[in-house]
Amino acid sequence: MGSSNRLFYRERSVHEILGGGLVADVMLWRRGNLTMGILLVTLAAWVVFEKSGYTLLSLVSNVLLLLIVILFLWAKSAAILNRPAPPLPELYLSEEMVNEVGAFIRSHVNDFLSASQDIALGKDARLFFKAAAYLLLISVVGSLTDFLTLGYTSLAVVLTVPALYERYEDYIDSYTILGYRKMQQLYMKFDSKFVNRFRKWILERQKLS
């Protein structure tokens, strides 16, 4: 299928659009064992949180407590028995890494603040309606489910929808483009019948006034 029959006239494959690396391989099930492992581990974590009554903070605290107790006892027993200490990597943040993270966060925060200012001052109506639609969608979804369920569902969608699209992209693209053209035809009919008449009515009222 040529690029003219692809969504958005794209010429790259789905794998290339997703970056072509490990993340794309996982999302498109090129590494099926890894993808299945991620889904199963995430499902197990979701079940633990939902059924056991644990919260994220309590679970992380208990895991960290268990980890530091094991490492502490290991280090003490190794010193007494003249054994090697636990093999820990060097825990150190370089100044360069901190600067890169800080610059990344600052850039995105400034973009967010600039967009918020434009919305508050009414400079960008399109951005206002887009932000309002997203916030309304988040509010509706948040009222229907909790954060953990939403996170697992989102991950499941990310790990299944791109793979299904890549497998059936010829059918999906053709039907989507056909539907889009039908919607364009309907919009043109609606525009010619109602919107143009409304514009003419406004112009006539302006002339009379």
Side-chain angles (χ1 to χ4, degrees):
M1 182 179 288
S3 60
S4 60
N5 293 322
R6 296 290 186 193
L7 284 178
F8 312 112
Y9 302 100
R10 60 182 175 83
E11 297 181 354
R12 296 186 299 167
S13 65
V14 178
H15 189 263
E16 292 173 340
I17 292 174
L18 294 176
L22 177 62
V23 175
D25 291 343
V26 171
M27 292 177 65
L28 297 177
W29 290 74
R30 303 285 175 87
R31 303 191 183 190
N33 292 334
L34 181 57
T35 307
M36 182 60 69
I38 293 174
L39 283 175
L40 291 178
V41 169
T42 309
L43 177 60
W46 177 76
V47 171
V48 167
F49 283 122
E50 287 292 321
K51 303 302 180 182
S52 67
Y54 271 108
T55 63
L56 180 61
L57 182 60
S58 62
L59 181 63
V60 171
S61 299
N62 288 332
V63 170
L64 290 177
L65 176 61
L66 179 62
L67 180 61
I68 63 173
V69 168
I70 292 174
L71 291 175
F72 179 80
L73 294 177
W74 186 353
K76 287 298 182 180
S77 61
I80 296 173
L81 301 174
N82 292 323
R83 297 286 186 177
L88 289 176
E90 184 180 5
L91 304 177
Y92 173 75
L93 285 177
S94 64
E95 184 178 354
E96 180 182 0
M97 184 183 299
V98 173
N99 291 335
E100 289 179 359
V101 173
F104 177 81
I105 294 175
R106 184 187 65 180
S107 174
H108 284 73
V109 169
N110 286 335
D111 292 340
F112 172 76
L113 293 177
S114 177
S116 301
Q117 185 177 20
D118 290 342
I119 293 174
L121 297 178
K123 294 181 178 179
D124 194 335
R126 180 178 297 180
L127 183 60
F128 164 75
F129 287 112
K130 185 183 295 186
Y134 281 130
L135 291 174
L136 180 61
L137 178 62
I138 293 173
S139 175
V140 172
V141 172
S143 65
L144 298 176
T145 184
D146 59 275
F147 180 76
L148 289 173
T149 304
L150 178 62
Y152 176 74
T153 305
S154 301
L155 181 63
V157 169
V158 168
L159 293 180
T160 53
V161 172
L164 290 174
Y165 173 74
E166 185 188 41
R167 185 172 182 178
Y168 302 105
E169 61 179 324
D170 291 341
Y171 301 101
I172 295 173
D173 286 354
S174 60
Y175 283 112
T176 303
I177 292 173
L178 180 62
Y180 175 73
R181 290 172 180 170
K182 291 291 186 181
M183 290 295 295
Q184 280 186 319
Q185 294 175 359
L186 291 175
Y187 174 76
M188 291 177 63
K189 291 181 180 179
F190 178 80
D191 185 75
S192 61
K193 287 184 178 180
F194 299 101
V195 178
N196 283 336
R197 291 180 181 177
F198 185 68
R199 290 173 182 168
K200 291 179 180 178
W201 179 78
I202 292 177
L203 291 175
E204 291 177 356
R205 293 292 300 269
Q206 289 178 347
K207 290 178 180 178
L208 293 176
S209 60

